[in-house]
């Protein structure tokens, strides 16, 4: 149990809940068996025969099962053949477990485990037998579902005999009674040995509440601890840098930008560190909101650092910030504005001299704003007075990296925690935000600035309708001839090195892997590559246009140069990997063709699409795929083409993928605790549990009056996970 299922204690076993329940009166459908998966089926023996082979020296038993929907063959070899033949008589009914394979075009289980259900063993009456619900547990090859069931029955019996002594109930009695939930021993009884479907529903309701509540208490304690840390209040100065910047903006802020900024400024003005997640639709103006927070921090005598996941993005942010600020970004320089400050860039590929100057500007306080990659985190980087850390695309950083940057906060020689603003353009459903980022206050920007154009999206079925792909390239040419530009996105970089024998394949660049959200990739063909497609387009359908590649293996200066020329309109079509996914802003780019679109995740496609339609002309996004119409990957693409609403898409994404995948690393501290709770379906439970948890921590922060809850928390948060949440 410990080795294969991670079950080490009685508690672990009690929390190993049945995956589903088979009714003895109901037969599992053999017609829907998944290939190569370990399954448990309930079926009847139709026929059993022994066949001889190898000139009579070998024998095998073939048993045919049926359930009315389909047939399944069991096969046994060797000396045990006659024992199984005596057991598996036609008409007998049983549970059979094994891995589904195919032999002679028939589904089969080879040497399955089985347990016969209709043995007349005296105490089991026909009535009881027919109506009983059979728990089917998540099992493995080494441990069948019924072995787990027998162990659970043993444990339940032993606990009942002691009156459930030693069982800590994490849910305060007042909450349990108010919510009409059953007691914990009863919940364990009913989830493992239900007499009816109503039992299962009652048990699930109670156990979901436990999971949601304990998790939300952990997060509420995190929020409470954050408010105890000291931070320097950073209030904007009247007529300072922020006011001057606002006065020069050529447009008015959206209502959403104003509201979110008001929350951020209120947080910055407190003596405790801000801890806020800013999530906004692609193109909703998050960078502007973050810049205003940074300017307010500089006004108050502090420095602000923005951490970006890639050099392309860091350079892009640096460029757009200096462009938005104009001469205000040249403080202390000739021609710079009086209230200005210096905005520096710090990346790993800078020359030694540039790097030395940037480090000097940071330690002296000359630079109020720094934009950088992981290079910001190195020990050599010292700040004069770091007041605000902005993390862009939070999911791309390890907790340790954010923590390392925040640890650089000092003020008047004392260690102070800087304020933290985390930004993401990946819309996160409210419940996921409450579960994964539950220790962050959340702000949402869902209003697009004026002047943004609609984007029409279409699926291009390249295999079924090749003329649609030809038309796609015509559309790209039309956009270019109208004075606009386009992106072509491919999942892979590709180069000759990969095919040369004896030459080691280089490690894929981070973006080369794509997100490949379980896409049912065509195994015979590798994903399309930037270098191949760029060459094909230049000599084929887009001949005569200026087509250039961009990918993560290029030297940073070369990447920046290509990006600069594209932004300046000197390149018509940019063929790129997902290196352009985040933050690249070229208002004149109106077209995007995503090759092998089925190999990308829903959120990633939405992010990519957000690169077009950023100006006055409408955007066009074409999702090229070879997947047939009935394929789930195709359904995913239809969903992306069907809506512009990122929050709607993130729900679809979450429903289609396993929760753990979506919650990803951010959830690593708590993932294993969510066995019963599903973040999409149980929105109400999570929201109510969060309220109850916050109220409880406000009155009893150390849980002195709730020892059982303290015990449950320490089980949920071992030291490693506690540290993970602490670094938050």
């Amino acid at each position: 149990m410990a080795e294969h299922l991670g079950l080490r204690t009685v508690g672990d076993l009690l929390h190993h809940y049945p995956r589903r329940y088979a009714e003895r009166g109901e037969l599992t459908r053999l017609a829907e068996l998944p290939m190569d998966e370990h399954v448990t089926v309930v079926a009847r023996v139709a026929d059993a025969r022994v066949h001889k082979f190898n000139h009579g020296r070998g024998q095998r038993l073939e048993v045919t099962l049926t359930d009315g929907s389909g047939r399944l063959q069991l096969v046994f070899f060797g000396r045990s053949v006659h024992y199984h033949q005596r057991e598996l008589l036609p008409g007998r009914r049983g549970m059979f477990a094994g891995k589904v394979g195919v032999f002679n075009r028939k589904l089969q289980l080879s040497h399955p485990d089985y347990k016969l259900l209709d043995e007349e063993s005296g105490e089991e009456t026909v009535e009881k037998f027919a109506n009983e619900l059979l728990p089917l547990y998540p099992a493995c090859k080494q441990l069948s579902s019924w072995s787990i069931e027998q162990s659970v029955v043993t444990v339940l019996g032993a606990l009942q005999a002691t009156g459930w002594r030693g069982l800590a109930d994490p849910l305060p009695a007042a909450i349990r009674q108010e919510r009409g939930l059953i007691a914990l021993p009863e919940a364990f009884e009913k989830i493992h040995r239900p007499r009816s479907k109503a039992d299962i529903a009652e048990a699930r309701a109670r156990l979901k509440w436990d999971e949601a509540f304990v998790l939300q208490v952990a997060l509420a304690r995190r929020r409470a601890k954050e408010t105890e840390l000291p931070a320097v209040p950073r209030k904007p100065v009247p007529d300072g840098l922020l006011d001057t910047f606002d006065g020069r903006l050529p447009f008015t802020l959206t209502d959403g930008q104003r509201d979110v900024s008001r929350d951020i400024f209120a947080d910055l003005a407190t003596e405790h560190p801000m801890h806020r997640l800013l999530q906004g639709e692609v193109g909703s103006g998050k960078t502007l909101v973050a810049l205003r927070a940074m300017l307010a921090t500089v006004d108050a005598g502090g420095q602000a650092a923005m951490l970006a996941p890639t050099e392309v993005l860091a350079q892009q942010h640096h460029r757009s910030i200096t462009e938005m600020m104009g001469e205000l970004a040249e403080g202390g320089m000739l021609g710079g504005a009086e209230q200005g400050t210096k905005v520096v860039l710090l990346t790993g590929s800078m020359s030694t001299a540039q790097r030395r100057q940037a480090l000097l500007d940071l330690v002296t306080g000359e630079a109020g704003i720094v934009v950088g990659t992981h290079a910001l985190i190195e020990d050599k980087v010292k700040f004069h007075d770091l007041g605000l850390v902005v993390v862009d695309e939070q999911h791309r950083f390890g907790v340790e990296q954010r923590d390392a940057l925040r640890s650089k906060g000092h003020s008047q020689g004392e260690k102070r925690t800087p304020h933290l603003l985390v930004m993401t353009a990946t819309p996160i459903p409210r419940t996921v935000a409450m579960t994964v980022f539950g220790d962050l206050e959340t702000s949402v920007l869902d209003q697009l600035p004026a002047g943004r154009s609609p984007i029409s999206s279409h699926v291009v079925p390249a295999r079924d309708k090749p003329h649609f792909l030809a038309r796609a390239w015509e559309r790209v040419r039309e956009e270019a001839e109208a004075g606009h530009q386009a992106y072509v996105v491919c999942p892979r970089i590709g180069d000759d090195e990969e095919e040369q024998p004896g030459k080691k394949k280089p490690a894929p660049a981070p973006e080369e892997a794509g997100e490949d959200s379980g896409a049912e990739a065509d195994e015979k063909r590798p994903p399309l590559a930037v270098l191949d497609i760029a060459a094909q387009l230049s000599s084929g359908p887009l001949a005569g246009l200026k087509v250039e590649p961009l990918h993560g293996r290029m030297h940073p200066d070369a990447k920046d140069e290509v990006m600069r020329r594209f932004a300046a309109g000197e390149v018509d079509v940019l063929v790129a990997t997902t290196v352009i996914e985040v933050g690249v802003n070229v208002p004149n780019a109106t077209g995007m063709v995503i090759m092998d679109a089925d190999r990308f995740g829903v959120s990633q496609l939405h992010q990519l699409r957000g690169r077009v339609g950023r100006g006055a002309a409408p955007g066009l996004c074409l999702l090229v795929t070879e997947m047939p119409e009935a394929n789930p990957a195709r359904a995913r693409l239809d969903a992306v083409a069907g809506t512009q609403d990122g929050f709607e898409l993130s729900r679809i994404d979450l429903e289609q993928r396993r929760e753990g995948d979506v919650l990803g690393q951010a959830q690593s501290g708590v993932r294993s605790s969510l066995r019963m709770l599903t973040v999409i379906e149980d929105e109400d439970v999570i929201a109510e549990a969060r309220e109850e948890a916050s109220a409880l921590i406000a009155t009893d922060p150390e849980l002195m009056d709730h020892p059982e809850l303290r015990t449950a928390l320490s089980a949920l948060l071992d030291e490693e996970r506690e540290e993970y949440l602490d670094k938050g």
Side-chain angles (χ1 to χ4, degrees), residues 481-712:
E481 284 166 358
H484 298 302
Q485 293 157 279
Y487 300 98
V488 175
V489 182
C490 303
R492 198 167 60 97
I493 297 172
D495 55 19
D496 296 333
E497 283 181 38
E498 296 174 17
E499 279 77 46
Q500 286 174 21
K503 200 159 191 187
K504 234 177 132 184
K505 182 177 173 180
E511 79 269 16
E512 189 171 341
E515 197 173 299
D516 200 8
S517 63
E520 299 72 5
D522 181 346
E523 293 302 326
K524 297 184 190 67
R525 170 173 76 66
L528 294 171
V530 166
L531 299 175
D532 302 340
I533 294 291
Q536 286 167 24
L537 292 177
S538 299
S539 59
L542 301 184
L545 296 183
K546 188 86 177 106
V547 178
E548 292 222 9
L550 176 76
H551 57 77
R553 266 194 230 141
M554 291 164 69
H555 187 277
D557 288 349
K559 271 192 290 199
D560 203 40
E561 176 58 19
V562 171
M563 212 50 241
R564 190 198 61 70
R565 286 192 295 111
F566 186 66
E570 296 163 23
V571 174
D572 298 314
V573 179
L574 191 64
V575 184
T577 52
T578 53
V579 73
I580 61 147
E581 178 186 348
V582 195
V584 173
N585 186 19
V586 180
N588 191 44
T590 53
M592 176 173 285
V593 180
I594 303 178
M595 308 302 292
D596 280 346
D598 47 273
R599 295 184 188 246
F600 298 99
V602 169
S603 300
Q604 202 173 21
L605 291 168
H606 182 59
Q607 284 275 9
L608 287 165
R609 170 171 64 184
R611 300 302 113 217
V612 296
R614 300 176 78 88
L620 172 71
C621 178
L622 302 175
L623 306 167
V624 179
T625 179
E626 294 189 353
M627 288 295 156
E629 207 160 338
N631 191 287
R634 183 72 176 272
R636 218 169 37 233
L637 297 183
D638 290 336
V640 174
T643 179
Q644 289 277 300
D645 183 341
F647 287 91
E648 176 57 29
L649 285 175
S650 68
R651 284 186 82 91
I652 292 169
D653 202 10
L654 196 54
E655 283 160 6
Q656 288 188 345
R657 298 161 71 158
R658 293 195 312 282
E659 307 241 327
D661 293 349
V662 179
L663 304 184
Q665 256 326 105
Q667 176 75 354
S668 97
V670 288
R671 178 193 290 179
S672 57
S673 66
L674 300 187
R675 296 186 178 92
M676 191 64 83
L677 201 65
T678 56
V679 287
I680 281 289
E681 290 165 24
D682 300 319
E683 190 163 334
D684 296 347
V685 176
I686 293 170
E688 288 167 22
R690 182 181 167 108
E691 271 176 44
E692 295 280 13
S694 300
L696 184 91
I697 292 300
T699 56
D700 183 10
E702 294 305 315
L703 301 176
M704 293 317 235
D705 300 336
H706 300 88
E708 292 93 347
L709 180 53
R710 244 190 1 251
T711 305

